[in-house]
Amino acid sequence: MGFLLMGLVLIAFTYFNRPNPEQIAAQQRFKDSISIVQGQQERQALEIQQAKELQNEEALPDSLKAVKLQSTYGEFSNAISGEEKFVTLENDLLEITLSSKGGRVYSAVLKEFTDKNEKPIVIFDKEESAFGTTLITANNRIVNTKDFYFEPIKEENKIVMRLKAGDNGSLDYVYSLDPKDYMLRFEIVSNGLNNVLSPGTNSLDIQWMQKIRQQETGRTFENRYAYISYKYLADDVEHLSDSKEDVKSISNKVKWIGYKDQYFSSVLISDQNFESTKLDSKPIADGKYLKTYNTETTVAFDLKGQEPTVFHYYFGPNDYSLLKQYDKNQFKGQDLELEKLVPLGWSLFRYVNKWIILPLFDFWTGICGNVGLAIFLLTLTIKMGLFPLTYKSFMSSAKMRVMRPQVEEITAKLPGQENALARQQKTMELYRQVGVNPMSGCLPMLLQMPFLFALFMFFPTAIELRHESFLWAKDLSTYDAIISWNTYIPLVTPYFGNHISLFCLLMTITQIIYTKFNMDQANTGQQQMPGMQTMMYIMPVFMMIFLNQYPAGLNYYYFISTLITILQTVAFRYFVNEDKILAQLEENKKKPQTKKKSGFMARLEEAQRQQQALAKQRANQQKRR
């Protein structure tokens, strides 16, 4: 019976603690990733060994070299030497140059965009990019496609880069480019490689490198938006650090990997998905490059050649509307979310940009054709939409302002710090009698904050501003310097820059004027914290330091927005009769106090009572001492 019970317990324990299908799949993925990593390590060791062998071969006679090449590269030995040739694929948007050395994309040029020197944007060229796939030959030798010379074959609307293997076998890189598209289709196809490569070959190890050029005027600011982005197959888009060296090893499946700067990206998309991916980003302190990006990853490969390994390169602008269209059309149902290459902010702010700011901006740009005028009309539209909130906030301030003499009487009757709680209670009691809620002016202001932060994220990433001039600003996507200097000034140059932006200066001046108006409005007769007024005037100066290197378009928006707010305030003061407001509040005093207190007011009064009780308790304790 004892052994029987023990057996039943073991069976039950095994049954209830068995892994579920999700856990089994996760364990299998973990084992697969471990085996892939081990395989990569073994291949790296073999590559090092082969490199040493090649160094020793240099001293051999030509006849022995040929034998050794055959031993090292197998059927690919004839492709180890040759002449580098270039072929071009192009449409109205892109010019792609392919190199026979490695069969890779040698350069990518965007025809409709120009750099700071008014030349077509070159995303990369020559040795600024590298691409290779690792192969294991039938005699267990490791080779890499970047070392071989491919044969270019031009066909209609596509180019085949063919790596020959013996008389009948080949590895084909097939490139095709549709008209008016930034997507370059890239296929890897096996032809008769069954006896050339290892029979167990079912995947390819891929290495991809690119140096990111500085394309814009402000290097420091452009650096903030240059980083590697990647999309999990069943999850969100993430990215590596933009400010420091960063390395990320990813065991989950990845749909695409994007090398981006502020306004342009190179994205590699896999139809079969990437596995066991390692991403590496290294910043470059100065010079013509911002960062160096590296990717090591694995993708499925059909050795029999029945199914090609399909990729798509995207070489193009970080344009939200354009990138969004790929999910609706060419990649429908795949949920690529390429539009997340455009950083529009987090959660709420992104929704505001996506559903309100972008449609309005596109609407006004389409109508007037001038980006500077479109920003003005966008600002005016937003201010008009928020007008009811602005008006409510002003009326709340006006009600408190007309009550100022009565609040000052309370302050005179209860002077000193020891009467602070009693003075506050009396003031709140007065406000409740006349029907004024001190917090009613804060809520409308808080509701406007999402628009403020959303536009702060929108303008630095809006490629529509790039190289668009307005008034004195030659380029709304960067700062509009009126004074510049080259001398490095500690604590100034790193944060403020070596220039003064005119729109930023105008924004600061209007902010100071608005602060003056706001301080006059907010003076309700109550005592304020020491130095509060000084702090309010210092804030615009801090904003100038912070925003001086930001795009002129952003500072122009803040300048126009603040100027409109000042005009609204002046108009309110002119048209709103404060005597009538005071008369209405005095009438409210005569009404019976049947209105139920708000939850906030009740909690505030309860907190005041508790503070007052605590203060009395401390005073009594001091008297006893």
Side-chain angles (χ1 to χ4, degrees), residues 479-485 496-501 548-550:
Y479 51 80
D480 54 323
I482 53 168
I483 300 175
S484 300
W485 59 90
F496 187 76
N498 283 353
H499 64 275
I500 296 177
S501 170
N548 190 57
Q549 298 192 70
Y550 273 73

Side-chain angles (χ1 to χ4, degrees), residues 56-67:
N56 297 330
E57 291 168 8
E58 294 298 326
L60 295 175
D62 291 343
S63 58
L64 291 179
K65 280 184 181 180
V67 175

Side-chain angles (χ1 to χ4, degrees), residues 414 417-426 603-621:
L414 298 169
Q417 187 62 32
E418 66 277 4
N419 293 317
L421 288 176
R423 187 168 59 244
Q424 193 174 29
Q425 283 182 334
K426 287 288 186 180
R603 289 192 297 272
L604 182 61
E605 290 186 5
E606 178 62 27
Q608 289 174 343
R609 283 193 290 267
Q610 291 178 1
Q611 287 179 347
Q612 192 172 22
L614 183 61
K616 288 181 179 179
Q617 184 179 356
R618 288 176 179 173
N620 292 333
Q621 288 176 352

Side-chain angles (χ1 to χ4, degrees), residues 331-342:
F331 297 92
K332 189 174 183 179
Q334 297 190 38
D335 197 25
L336 289 186
E337 296 185 299
L338 287 173
E339 71 276 6
K340 289 192 175 179
L341 287 167
V342 183

